[in-house]
């Protein structure tokens, strides 16, 4: 009788030890997967930040001035940039003397554009919208 009780006690101890071991392995595996996925996401966003700022600098001279749509590749990212005119006006001219013309009749034509920039790489894609203003001397 004592041998059966001892045997049952050892079996319960072994089961408890196996459960604890299993939980330790599952926790370590889950933690490692979370760490790896967070590192990959961090790397994607670092690459995206670098590519976004570089693409904006690269296309800034041509977009909305010469071209309304640009596309290309930069650092394994493909990008599309579309420019849409939102508003345009001349600059304000103040009349300093009585009888001087005053209002939006200045020498510069100002244009406000909305730029939609989309960057994508493999199954990762991000869309940005920002405003850009240009000026052009009229006379």
């Amino acid at each position: 009788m004592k041998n059966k009780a001892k045997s049952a006690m050892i079996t319960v101890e072994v089961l408890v030890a196996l459960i604890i071991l299993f939980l330790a392995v599952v926790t370590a595996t889950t933690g490692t997967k979370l760490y790896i996925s967070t590192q990959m996401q961090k790397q994607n966003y670092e690459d995206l930040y670098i590519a976004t700022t570089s693409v904006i600098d690269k296309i800034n001279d041509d977009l909305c001035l010469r071209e309304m749509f640009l596309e290309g590749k930069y650092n394994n990212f493909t990008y599309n940039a579309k420019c849409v005119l939102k508003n345009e006006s001349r600059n304000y001219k103040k009349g300093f003397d009585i009888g001087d013309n005053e209002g939006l009749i200045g020498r510069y034509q100002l244009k406000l554009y909305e730029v939609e920039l989309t960057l994508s790489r493999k199954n990762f894609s991000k869309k940005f919208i920002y405003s850009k203003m240009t000026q052009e001397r009229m006379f």
Side-chain angles (χ1 to χ4, degrees), residues 64 83-89 109-115 130-135:
C64 304
C83 195
V84 177
L85 180 64
K86 288 295 180 183
N87 197 1
E88 67 180 301
S89 178
Q109 180 74 24
L110 305 171
K111 295 179 181 180
L112 179 66
Y113 295 96
E114 182 179 273
V115 178
Y130 64 95
S131 297
K132 179 180 178 178
M133 181 175 279
T134 63
Q135 68 179 10

Side-chain angles (χ1 to χ4, degrees), residues 22-59:
F22 174 75
L23 290 175
V25 169
V26 166
T27 303
T29 304
T30 304
T32 304
K33 280 184 178 180
L34 181 63
Y35 175 75
I36 290 171
S37 116
T38 304
Q39 285 299 102
M40 287 176 54
Q41 189 176 21
K42 178 183 160 255
Q43 186 63 44
N44 276 340
Y45 277 102
E46 283 178 4
D47 292 347
L48 178 68
Y49 176 77
I50 292 168
T52 302
T53 54
S54 298
V55 166
I56 288 173
D57 286 345
K58 182 179 177 180
I59 66 175

Side-chain angles (χ1 to χ4, degrees), residues 67-128:
E67 300 287 332
M68 298 304 273
F69 182 79
L70 289 173
E71 60 184 355
K73 287 188 86 124
Y74 181 83
N75 199 16
N76 295 331
F77 281 94
T78 57
Y79 65 86
N80 297 324
K82 182 173 72 169
C83 195
V84 177
L85 180 64
K86 288 295 180 183
N87 197 1
E88 67 180 301
S89 178
R90 285 200 168 169
N91 66 316
Y92 188 82
K93 181 180 177 190
K94 175 78 174 147
F96 291 105
D97 292 326
I98 297 174
D100 282 352
N101 290 335
E102 182 174 296
L104 297 173
I105 56 171
R107 294 181 180 182
Y108 294 96
Q109 180 74 24
L110 305 171
K111 295 179 181 180
L112 179 66
Y113 295 96
E114 182 179 273
V115 178
E116 185 178 299
L117 176 64
T118 305
L119 285 126
S120 56
R121 176 174 68 179
K122 294 181 186 172
N123 59 352
F124 184 77
S125 181
K126 194 75 172 170
K127 180 175 165 181
F128 301 96

Side-chain angles (χ1 to χ4, degrees), residues 8-22:
M9 190 89 140
I10 291 173
T11 306
V12 170
E13 288 174 357
V14 169
L15 286 174
V16 169
L18 285 174
I19 290 172
I20 291 171
L21 180 64
F22 174 75

